[in-house]
Amino acid sequence: MAKDLEVAILFADVVGSTQLYDQFGDTKASETVALCLDVMKDATRQFSGKVIKTIGDELMCTFPGPMAGLMAGIDMQRRVASDLVWQRDFLAVRIGLHHGEALLEEGDVYADAVNTAARMTQMAKREQIVTTLTTVRGLTNSSIVRTRHLGDVRVAGKHNPVEIVDVIWQEDTSNVTMVARAIRLEDVAAGA
């Protein structure tokens, strides 16, 4: 029987694994990808998350709230980026996240929120975390998470465009291009 719940859904995809298989062969590459997935699974558990499944070199997990999901995503990025061997092998992670209502059935999670999180992952580039603006607005203490607005995008299955943001997880952002967004006073007064 399906159970309704409100969760943060996170997809983390290992980038660079195809080249790894080509360069080192199936055995060594699959061991390396498995180690990377293990690191991400550990970060999931540290932030009260639950690993739903692995799909090849991608991990799907849920968190009780958006802050836990974002903090786990940041931890995943930092752990992978700090591993010198993975950097040498040009491995990285791209992460997509969305918080919303989902259905839990037989250990798997379904619904529009899952599809939206998967689309965020597809939009993310290596070493990037992409989420929806509605997810960031749902944070109780958003001041500890730095983001930048990426604009409105068309998402498959959605009638209206979705506002997406990039989560800035790097300690040193001197190599990150930042774009300032002008805020109109009318938007602030209207609560937009």
Side-chain angles (χ1 to χ4, degrees), residues 38-147:
D38 286 345
V39 164
M40 294 188 295
K41 288 175 185 177
D42 184 57
T44 299
R45 288 186 290 274
Q46 280 197 329
F47 289 92
S48 305
K50 180 179 180 189
V51 174
I52 301 299
K53 58 186 164 185
T54 53
I55 311 151
D57 59 2
E58 185 173 47
L59 182 71
M60 177 188 177
C61 41
T62 60
F63 297 87
M67 183 59 82
L70 286 169
M71 297 309 291
I74 290 168
D75 191 41
M76 289 175 191
Q77 289 288 16
R78 288 181 178 161
R79 288 184 190 201
V80 172
S82 68
D83 188 291
L84 297 177
V85 173
W86 292 339
Q87 289 300 303
R88 181 201 67 206
D89 294 339
F90 206 57
L91 279 184
V93 179
R94 65 183 182 143
I95 296 174
L97 178 97
H98 180 66
H99 181 258
E101 293 182 15
L103 294 172
L104 175 65
E105 186 173 22
E106 297 180 15
D108 207 346
V109 181
Y110 306 93
D112 182 58
V114 175
N115 296 333
T116 302
R119 299 293 182 266
M120 296 304 104
T121 311
Q122 291 170 351
M123 289 180 210
K125 295 186 176 16
R126 63 183 293 117
E127 298 184 339
Q128 189 175 31
I129 302 170
V130 174
T131 189
T132 58
L133 184 60
T134 57
T135 297
V136 173
R137 284 186 176 156
L139 298 173
T140 54
N141 186 4
S142 62
S143 64
I144 62 172
V145 177
R146 295 180 302 153
T147 62

Side-chain angles (χ1 to χ4, degrees), residues 13-37 54-58 89-91:
D13 184 30
V14 179
V15 180
S17 61
T18 303
Q19 296 86 345
L20 199 66
Y21 281 91
D22 187 47
Q23 183 178 0
F24 295 112
D26 293 344
T27 303
K28 184 171 184 339
S30 64
E31 289 171 356
T32 302
V33 169
L35 286 171
C36 189
L37 289 170
T54 53
I55 311 151
D57 59 2
E58 185 173 47
D89 294 339
F90 206 57
L91 279 184

